[in-house]
Amino acid sequence: MTTSLLEDLLQETRQRLGAGLDALTLERAVAGIFFTGVELSNGCCGLAATPIKEIPAAVCCSSSLGALPSPGKLRGRPAADVLEDLAPGTGPMRRAMAIATLNALIETLWQRDGAPRDAQVSGGDAAQALALRPGERVVLVGAFAPYMRAFRKEGRHYRVLEMDPATLRADELPHYAPASAAPQIIPWADVLISTATTLTNDSLDALLSHASPGTRIAIVGPTAPLLPGPYRARGIQVVGGTRARQAGPLLDLLAEGASGYHLFEKSVDRVNLVLD
């Protein structure tokens, strides 16, 4: 691929919205501890994981100014302008806000056009949609605690690529590998399940390039844009994202430090695109 997954998602969104994109502005933006959320002027809402561990300069001093997405100046800003922060090299917090904006624009398409016709849409956990088979070896990109618990109970062979080993418990560490080991670990997988936050740090395309032919792949998390075409072009079978029920109450929760446990099936619905 000559363009990145995120670039292709952005291009398709712009093409489908057309001139309608120019009329949309940010109504509200919240950079929560765990998730960043955006409400557009049309009421549509989008989320992305807050990359707090990737912002060492985000402290109360002048070094944080370039890391944060223009506090106090976001309301009324054209959505098209915010999308410029999707460019490579943009700081992680600014990029997260841009991905949340992209997700709100894709929610606009869902509300205008209905669910994608070229994908099977389901609810619940993405791993259920992937339907893991007995004996399949799994590589997780990101320490998904519920998946690791399930895999241990099943006796499944799995590895976890994670930037911060402190996020794993002692009984999970034998399965750990540093993120730098991706070229050696990912080809071993029958199934690759990656956190969608790899879109924020611009590592997803490189991770996908290490997958062996025939590997089944899922991209999971509220950061994942729910637009099937660019994923299918890369051989991805399942995309697990979210849709907000109501923007106002959701953003209020984010402003109070809500995590996924406070949101899923309450303020947001988990939505899977199955692309087989």
Side-chain angles (χ1 to χ4, degrees):
M1 293 284 180
T2 58
T3 54
S4 71
L5 173 58
L6 194 54
E7 287 173 326
D8 288 351
L9 290 163
L10 173 60
Q11 181 179 6
E12 182 172 338
T13 302
R14 280 176 165 159
Q15 287 177 342
R16 290 181 57 186
L17 286 171
L21 174 59
D22 298 331
L24 294 171
T25 60
L26 267 62
E27 177 64 25
R28 186 182 177 193
V30 174
I33 297 172
F34 297 100
F35 296 105
T36 292
V38 164
E39 179 186 5
L40 299 178
S41 51
N42 62 1
C44 290
C45 183
L47 293 178
T50 300
I52 192 66
K53 291 184 179 180
E54 297 182 45
I55 319 174
V59 294
C60 189
C61 66
S62 59
S63 63
S64 70
L65 292 178
L68 302 177
S70 305
K73 300 179 181 179
L74 288 172
R75 178 171 287 174
R77 188 179 176 191
D81 288 358
V82 181
L83 295 177
E84 296 301 320
D85 281 339
L86 293 174
T90 303
M93 192 63 237
R94 299 175 72 94
R95 207 165 205 229
M97 188 70 71
I99 292 175
T101 302
L102 176 64
N103 282 333
L105 293 169
I106 292 173
E107 174 63 20
T108 300
L109 293 173
W110 276 66
Q111 293 193 20
R112 186 191 73 181
D113 302 334
R117 297 185 181 90
D118 55 344
Q120 179 183 344
V121 179
S122 65
D125 188 84
Q128 295 175 342
L130 195 56
L132 294 175
R133 301 160 187 157
E136 284 187 317
R137 299 175 299 193
V138 180
V139 168
L140 298 173
V141 179
F144 291 96
Y147 293 174
M148 290 188 288
R149 285 195 298 270
F151 295 165
R152 288 197 307 275
K153 290 180 180 178
E154 296 170 6
R156 186 179 295 278
H157 295 292
Y158 75 96
R159 302 297 303 274
V160 182
L161 292 167
E162 172 58 53
M163 296 178 67
D164 182 6
T167 58
L168 281 77
R169 302 187 333 180
D171 58 348
E172 295 164 346
L173 285 173
H175 303 275
Y176 163 77
S180 59
Q184 293 77 44
I185 299 297
I186 290 178
W188 171 84
D190 300 309
V191 177
L192 174 65
I193 302 176
S194 174
T195 171
T197 58
T198 50
L199 287 168
T200 306
N201 62 23
D202 210 20
S203 63
L204 180 55
D205 291 277
L207 292 168
L208 294 176
S209 72
H210 300 309
S212 299
T215 302
R216 299 197 297 136
I217 303 171
I219 310 299
V220 180
T223 306
L226 291 170
L227 202 62
Y231 296 101
R232 178 180 283 108
R234 289 162 173 81
I236 295 166
Q237 281 75 39
V238 174
V239 182
T242 58
R243 297 184 66 195
R245 295 182 180 179
Q246 288 184 296
L250 171 57
L251 296 185
D252 288 343
L253 283 171
L254 297 189
E256 295 182 12
S259 69
Y261 295 105
H262 303 106
L263 304 180
F264 296 139
E265 276 62 67
K266 298 172 185 175
S267 297
V268 301
D269 293 317
R270 286 185 282 194
V271 177
N272 303 308
L273 303 179
V274 181
L275 308 179
D276 284 337

